[in-house]
Amino acid sequence: AQTVTQSQPEMSVQEAETVTLSCTYDTSESDYYLFWYKQPPSRQMILVIRQEAYKQQNATENRFSVNFQKAAKSFSLKISDSQLGDAAMYFCAYRSAASKLTFGTGTRLQVTL
Amino acid sequence: GAGVSQSPSNKVTEKGKDVELRCDPISGHTALYWYRQSLGQGLEFLIYFQGNSAPDKSGLPSDRFSAERTGGSVSTLTIQRTQQEDSAVYLCASSTTSGSYGNTIYFGEGSWLTVV
């Protein structure tokens, strides 16, 4: 079974600085998607960014980018120019044709002034 | 509707009572998922509906949990004889189809269940 591991329960970043959230996963499949979801206090999960395993180019969405290392099974999220509104729980997730969307345990990001 | 709608948003129930949680997915979405999120934890898959196919119930933790989806739209998650360990946020999500597993899955705001 696929597993997703987030080893940082909490992270803190100053406003306007850059922070990187880590995620590793375990799979024997070659074709899959990886996702980062954000969960603010409202509880609603919001998709931040996604990466297809077959694409070598790292995905980027405005201030959010990923560092996808397929061989190492690593998928980190970089948030640049952090804003107060970025404070939330961030979940890394994995999905493939054979598996449901599987989440890590999350990283709580605090943004300080 | 504009998004995935869940009700109630908060529910406090006594141990041993039955509860029903409702999910109204985004119009046209054929795939519907239920997840459970315990305090400070990740999301645990419960059940998945795709069109008229038999649902994937592999994540239901016990036979006290059941779910149905009527007319391919609204879904109800039922927990019978609730226990304190059932206290969690129950999240519903929907997507256009399971054929492309890269599709965006849209989540509701969840139903926070507290069993006292």
Side-chain angles (χ1 to χ4, degrees):
Chain A
Q2 289 73 25
T3 58
V4 178
T5 302
Q6 294 180 251
S7 58
Q8 305 156 316
E10 289 192 14
M11 292 285 285
S12 183
V13 62
Q14 283 193 321
E15 198 177 18
E17 296 298 309
T18 295
V19 65
T20 299
L21 308 184
S22 301
C23 173
T24 59
Y25 58 96
D26 186 24
T27 184
S28 58
E29 297 174 308
S30 59
D31 190 18
Y32 49 87
Y33 273 84
L34 296 163
F35 306 84
W36 278 98
Y37 275 86
K38 170 185 177 181
Q39 187 181 40
S42 69
R43 299 198 305 242
Q44 186 165 25
M45 300 282 281
I46 302 165
L47 179 65
V48 174
I49 198 165
R50 89 187 83 197
Q51 173 81 41
E52 185 176 8
Y54 269 112
K55 291 188 176 178
Q56 293 185 338
Q57 185 174 6
N58 288 324
T60 299
E61 290 286 344
N62 300 313
R63 298 183 295 108
F64 299 86
S65 62
V66 299
N67 183 3
F68 174 48
Q69 301 290 328
K70 191 172 184 179
K73 296 179 183 173
S74 170
F75 182 62
S76 61
L77 174 70
K78 186 171 82 171
I79 307 174
S80 304
D81 186 26
S82 297
Q83 301 175 359
L84 293 177
D86 295 333
M89 283 289 288
Y90 286 82
F91 292 94
C92 179
Y94 170 104
R95 191 179 182 203
S96 70
S99 75
K100 299 160 276 291
L101 192 61
T102 303
F103 290 88
T105 52
T107 297
R108 182 174 301 281
L109 178 66
Q110 294 183 321
V111 181
T112 59
L113 294 172
Chain B
V4 179
S5 178
Q6 292 188 246
S7 61
S9 88
N10 289 284
K11 174 74 174 179
V12 179
T13 189
E14 291 182 349
K15 178 180 173 181
K17 300 284 189 182
D18 297 351
V19 295
E20 287 188 347
L21 308 176
R22 176 189 167 103
C23 173
D24 198 346
I26 293 172
S27 179
H29 280 192
T30 57
L32 186 147
Y33 314 78
W34 283 98
Y35 283 83
R36 179 170 70 175
Q37 184 178 24
S38 301
L39 187 63
Q41 299 298 311
L43 278 72
E44 174 191 6
F45 167 77
L46 295 178
I47 189 169
Y48 162 60
F49 296 90
Q50 170 54 38
N52 295 322
S53 302
D56 178 353
K57 304 179 182 180
S58 60
L60 294 178
S62 77
D63 59 7
R64 296 187 295 105
F65 287 73
S66 63
E68 62 177 19
R69 188 177 185 191
T70 54
S73 181
V74 172
S75 176
T76 301
L77 177 69
T78 301
I79 309 173
Q80 296 179 309
R81 305 181 302 281
T82 52
Q83 304 294 314
Q84 288 186 328
E85 60 263 28
D86 300 334
S87 297
V89 177
Y90 290 83
L91 291 164
C92 178
S94 70
S95 68
T96 52
T97 178
S98 70
S100 175
Y101 48 90
N103 283 356
T104 299
I105 296 176
Y106 296 87
F107 284 80
E109 293 188 355
S111 292
W112 194 314
L113 175 66
T114 303
V115 182
V116 297

